[in-house]
Amino acid sequence: MHTIAAAALLATAHALQLPWKPAAVAAPPSAPAAIAADDHRRAVIGGHNWLTHAPPSYFARDKLTVKGPRANTDVGAPVDATRPLVKLGDVAVGSWSCSEGGWLSPAPRTSTEWFIMLEGEGSVDEEDGTRHRFAAGDVVVLPRGWSGRWDVQKDLHKVWAVHTHADDGRSTSPVIATPSQMSDGDIYKAGDTAVRVWTRQPGPVEVRDKATTESIYVLSGEMFVTNQDGSAVRCVAGDTVALPRGWTGRYDVASAVKAVSVVVGKETTSAAAPAPSHAGGKRRPIVGGNWKCNPATASSLDELCRNFDGVAPYLDKCDVYVCPSNLHVALVKDNFTPGIHVAPQNCNFKGCGAYTGEMSVDQIQDLGLGWVLIGHSERRGEFGLPTPAESNQLMATKLQYILDQGLNCVFCIGEPLSIRQKGIQAVLAECADQLTDIVPILRQLSDKSRVVIAYEPVWAIGTGEAATPEQAQETHKGIRDWIAANVDRATADAIRIQYGGSANAGNAPELSSFPDIDGFLVGGASLKPEIADIVKAIAEAKV
Ligand code: PEP
């Protein structure tokens, strides 16, 4: 499952035992400092009151220290190596690797150990000979009091957390959870130790005086974890984060994070997951910038990214994403204020393989991205050239694939001028036509914030002639009513509908004042600093 990349940077910060502090935070508490592209890959060692973070490179096998011959070896000549990360009171976190072989562990354990297998295969036996096998991706708990034997069947590597505690009479039998068993909830709970899988949806979570010590291993998604002083780290799949009891700070989840964590201590009310974007009947506004096939030179990218710096003060109220051209996605993805999403302008519907010219969700996720845009009218046959138009059925197939893989999606619809000229009923019939194939998908979707509809009248795109606010509101409301009738009321109330088509800093405030307009998809103006004013307009209108 997780292959640990070798090398990369090692933390000078670790050697010095200093907390690393990124450059000063320019804007909101939700957006920690501009974290340089490579800075977030080094380990940040905090210790008491600070978060501790290790990217996979910190635990790369060539960074572990060989421990010397093992006692009690009776199979092969296993060589094991370890690297501690941090010790927080009675909880220690680190990594361990071991080559093939086996040995007896007769002395009962005085601590409970949890680990996630990164690579390899192994087993532990109980004293009565019961064997528990585990492989890459599995989570294993060896409770205090367990004794028996260890066998490494295939070179293994793991990240562990150990809790030293008094005998509290818990069962000594090992517990194993395979990846398919990792749905939200406790894998193990005894005394003050819980091993649990959790998912947090995008948004901020404030934590004050944390009641427990928690060691988190990120399975997927992206979040920023910020200390009280504003120092922050970006956490993605494969990263380990340890938070001490008493910690105060915040998580800013950029794309839904799934993690397995070891929680030690008496839990009061745990930090609540961020409210879904439609909590309390309110929809969180969302603005996207579509750079289309721009700019012509990579050297212009930095300037375009900097245009988005001005949105930072609004990121706690408004979601913001940017759709660079496909060639530029990887070049810019770490060059935005944290919290801004990068969303490719298209993806395929099959995954990796023999699909020349395509991009898969796996590749998008591997870059740490959580969103993708599909169905733009310029791909639905509006180029004015005889290129194959992407059909409604293809859009539905793509959407299902995107959601199944855990990505979120901006789904574009809209009518050409010839239909608008026939009046609103014709417009709504065209929108309904473009949405019909995704009705079952929307019905099944539990978190409605994962799909955003971008309503973009084709005649308004790039023409400088936006729909009037009344036209846009009427159409958005019509789309929402159609969803209520054909999907369900809850989806209609929760789903966000963006307006696109010559939106700019001048028309955004008035458009934002209409109740069914939840944001904008912006083309031309997203290449200019005025994008910040567009975000400001909707963020302030929807508070
Ligand atoms: C778009 O391309 O989605 C778009 C809305 O472009 P513009 O804002 O330039 O009309």
Side-chain angles (χ1 to χ4, degrees):
M1 176 177 113
H2 305 279
T3 308
I4 297 296
L9 313 156
L10 213 302
T12 345
H14 174 63
L16 299 172
Q17 292 287 300
L18 292 173
W20 166 69
K21 296 182 188 176
V25 181
S30 63
I35 296 172
D38 57 352
D39 273 350
H40 66 257
R41 305 315 303 164
R42 64 176 125 159
V44 176
I45 304 301
H48 201 63
N49 286 333
W50 301 96
L51 66 88
T52 301
H53 168 252
S57 58
Y58 183 83
F59 289 139
R61 295 184 72 149
D62 61 353
K63 298 291 187 302
L64 311 187
T65 305
V66 173
K67 293 202 319 194
R70 285 210 68 93
N72 301 333
T73 300
D74 54 17
V75 176
V79 175
D80 64 345
T82 189
R83 181 166 199 186
L85 175 65
V86 70
K87 189 157 181 355
L88 300 169
D90 49 13
V91 179
V93 185
S95 176
W96 184 76
S97 69
C98 189
S99 58
E100 283 144 39
W103 59 91
L104 271 175
S105 267
R109 295 192 152 218
T110 55
S111 54
T112 294
E113 179 183 356
W114 157 97
F115 58 86
I116 180 155
M117 289 280 289
L118 306 178
E119 293 172 307
E121 280 171 31
S123 59
V124 285
D125 292 358
E126 295 186 63
E127 275 172 344
D128 66 2
T130 309
R131 175 154 285 201
H132 302 266
R133 289 180 177 279
F134 38 81
D138 291 353
V139 164
V140 181
V141 184
L142 295 179
R144 188 188 201 282
W146 170 79
S147 66
R149 65 170 292 120
W150 251 97
D151 284 280
V152 175
Q153 281 94 25
K154 203 163 152 192
D155 231 5
L156 73 74
H157 184 194
K158 69 189 194 186
V159 170
W160 51 260
V162 167
H163 175 210
T164 305
H165 59 95
D167 183 2
D168 50 10
R170 65 183 62 177
S171 159
T172 61
S173 289
V175 174
I176 294 169
T178 61
S180 63
Q181 292 166 327
M182 301 226 198
S183 42
D184 286 14
D186 286 349
I187 291 172
Y188 172 85
K189 186 147 176 56
D192 281 354
T193 316
V195 179
R196 78 171 47 120
V197 175
W198 50 254
T199 304
R200 290 206 171 107
Q201 297 304 326
V205 186
E206 301 275 357
V207 179
R208 193 160 294 282
D209 200 9
K210 199 169 180 347
T212 54
T213 295
E214 187 171 5
S215 172
I216 300 165
Y217 184 84
V218 180
L219 297 169
S220 59
E222 179 189 23
M223 66 178 172
F224 299 88
V225 186
T226 305
N227 285 310
Q228 224 172 341
D229 68 346
S231 57
V233 287
R234 173 177 178 256
C235 304
V236 292
D239 287 3
T240 305
V241 186
L243 300 172
R245 187 174 302 148
W247 181 75
T248 294
R250 56 185 287 148
Y251 308 91
D252 291 281
V253 179
S255 63
V257 169
K258 183 166 184 182
V260 55
S261 82
V262 189
V263 183
V264 172
K266 292 225 175 320
E267 297 184 73
T268 48
T269 42
S270 56
S277 57
H278 49 92
K282 285 187 79 170
R283 293 179 293 270
R284 183 174 158 85
I286 179 162
V287 174
N290 179 12
W291 289 356
K292 309 190 186 194
C293 197
N294 294 300
T297 58
S299 58
S300 321
L301 287 168
D302 193 51
E303 192 188 331
L304 297 191
C305 294
R306 297 289 62 81
N307 289 338
F308 279 78
D309 287 353
V311 313
Y314 312 106
L315 287 173
D316 58 343
K317 300 183 200 74
C318 182
D319 290 333
V320 176
Y321 64 89
V322 185
C323 307
S325 82
N326 300 335
L327 276 178
H328 291 157
V329 165
L331 295 178
V332 298
K333 73 180 179 65
D334 293 314
N335 197 9
F336 287 101
T337 297
I340 295 177
H341 304 276
V342 170
Q345 299 171 7
N346 187 22
C347 73
N348 78 359
F349 52 94
K350 280 276 192 195
C352 293
Y355 307 109
T356 305
E358 292 289 346
M359 297 170 302
S360 72
V361 164
D362 310 63
Q363 293 168 324
I364 294 170
Q365 280 176 321
D366 181 56
L367 291 180
L369 311 179
W371 285 84
V372 63
L373 176 143
I374 59 170
H376 194 281
S377 61
E378 288 157 12
R379 301 198 60 81
R380 285 184 186 253
E382 294 294 333
F383 281 120
L385 291 170
T387 49
E390 296 193 353
S391 66
N392 294 329
Q393 196 193 355
L394 175 64
M395 287 308 112
T397 307
K398 285 189 182 190
L399 180 63
Q400 186 70 69
Y401 160 68
I402 288 165
L403 295 174
D404 285 350
Q405 301 288 313
L407 227 60
N408 306 320
C409 185
V410 179
F411 190 91
C412 304
I413 61 169
E415 82 287 355
L417 183 60
S418 55
I419 292 186
R420 173 56 69 170
Q421 284 166 338
K422 292 185 188 152
I424 183 68
Q425 290 317 323
V427 170
L428 292 176
E430 174 62 21
C431 293
D433 204 34
Q434 293 178 28
L435 291 171
T436 296
D437 287 342
I438 69 166
V439 163
I441 302 173
L442 293 180
R443 268 195 204 128
Q444 274 177 9
L445 187 66
S446 54
D447 179 354
K448 311 294 182 187
S449 66
R450 293 185 58 207
V451 174
V452 171
I453 294 174
Y455 165 66
E456 300 202 293
V458 178
W459 47 271
I461 294 179
T463 60
E465 206 182 302
T468 64
E470 292 74 19
Q471 275 175 321
Q473 165 61 24
E474 182 183 43
T475 316
H476 282 221
K477 182 168 184 317
I479 293 169
R480 209 179 291 289
D481 289 345
W482 185 88
I483 293 173
N486 293 278
V487 181
D488 53 53
R489 186 75 251 172
T491 304
D493 288 343
I495 202 158
R496 293 175 288 178
I497 307 178
Q498 293 180 297
Y499 167 76
S502 299
N504 57 35
N507 56 32
E510 200 186 345
L511 283 158
S512 301
S513 68
F514 283 81
D516 287 292
I517 297 174
D518 301 319
F520 301 101
L521 178 51
V522 186
S526 72
L527 297 160
K528 301 179 192 157
E530 72 178 281
I531 185 67
D533 296 319
I534 299 173
V535 172
K536 177 174 190 275
I538 192 97
E540 290 182 347
K542 304 294 177 185
V543 281

